[in-house]
Amino acid sequence: MNAFERREEALRERDFRLQESLIKFNKFLQENESKKARAIRRCAEEKRQCESTGTEIVQLKKKLNEKTEEAKMFSNLLSQNQKYQKYLKSVVDKAPSEDFGEIQDVLDRYSTLKSTNDDLVTKMKLNTKDHEARRTSYTQFVKKSGNEMLNMNNEIARLQKELEQVTIASNEIDSLDYGTCQNVNELTTEISQALLVIDNMVERLEFQAHPSQSPSPVVSKNSLAEEKGLEIKVNTAVEKLDSVADLIVDYESIAETWSGNKL
């Protein structure tokens, strides 16, 4: 009986120790699981950081390559521009001290000259444009004047022809004795109408001509009704046609002078 109790007591102690061992083992397993979870999280975080750092490294390497190429470019540019630096230094050394004291004075002078040149180029373009506009206006003026002179020459030719007819009629009147005054009056009316046309032409030419080139009218512009005698009227017509011819000659001289000045 005592042996059985001792054995039972031993079994209880063993069971108690096993339970304690189990509790400790469970606690150990929990701690290991917690450490494992922390390690996994830390590993994932370290992995993300490595990936981010790798991307940053790639970007930095790219920037480094760009800066290296840029540094090479500036180094080459510096090497190329050193000859200009030497040239400007020689200019300053050889120039009088009152002209250029240092290289910056040369650069300032260049900037001033360049700005002045740009202004002159701009003014030249404006003057060229204005010159072309004036040339176009002058061409139109010459064309219009040529047409007007052509029309006036035609009108003068027509009036001269009419005047010749009037002169012939006048000579016939002087040599023939008309029985009635009616034919004389009709002829006088035709001559008066021709003289009115000549008067209008003279007035138009004198109005269009330049004041300094306008000749003084040869005859008075009194009404033709005040003229007496067929011979006086014919002589007046001849004198006025001569005045028209003088005006046209002066007009052509003005056009030629203007053309010579423009060209």
Side-chain angles (χ1 to χ4, degrees), residues 161-190:
K161 186 176 180 181
E162 291 182 359
L163 181 60
E164 291 175 358
Q165 295 176 355
V166 171
T167 303
I168 293 172
S170 176
N171 293 332
E172 291 178 355
I173 291 174
D174 291 338
S175 61
L176 296 177
D177 181 15
Y178 287 92
T180 63
C181 294
Q182 183 178 1
N183 292 333
V184 176
N185 292 334
E186 291 176 357
L187 187 57
T188 302
T189 301
E190 293 178 358

Side-chain angles (χ1 to χ4, degrees), residues 6-22:
R6 286 194 298 272
R7 188 174 180 179
E8 184 179 5
E9 184 66 26
L11 289 174
R12 281 199 294 269
E13 290 180 0
R14 185 179 179 182
D15 183 61
F16 181 73
R17 286 194 298 272
L18 287 175
Q19 289 180 358
E20 287 182 350
S21 298
L22 182 61

Side-chain angles (χ1 to χ4, degrees), residues 19-77:
Q19 289 180 358
E20 287 182 350
S21 298
L22 182 61
I23 291 171
K24 291 180 179 180
F25 184 72
N26 287 333
K27 186 177 180 181
F28 174 75
L29 289 177
Q30 290 176 357
E31 290 178 353
N32 284 343
E33 288 294 332
S34 177
K35 291 180 180 179
K36 180 181 179 181
R38 288 197 300 271
I40 291 173
R41 288 195 300 270
R42 185 174 181 181
C43 179
E45 184 178 354
E46 292 291 339
K47 186 177 181 180
R48 287 193 299 271
Q49 290 180 354
C50 288
E51 291 176 354
S52 175
T53 304
T55 303
E56 186 177 358
I57 289 173
V58 172
Q59 294 177 351
L60 290 175
K61 285 183 177 180
K62 184 177 179 180
K63 289 183 178 180
L64 177 62
N65 293 332
E66 291 176 354
K67 294 297 181 182
T68 302
E69 293 297 327
E70 187 177 355
K72 290 181 180 179
M73 181 186 68
F74 282 116
S75 178
N76 294 332
L77 186 61

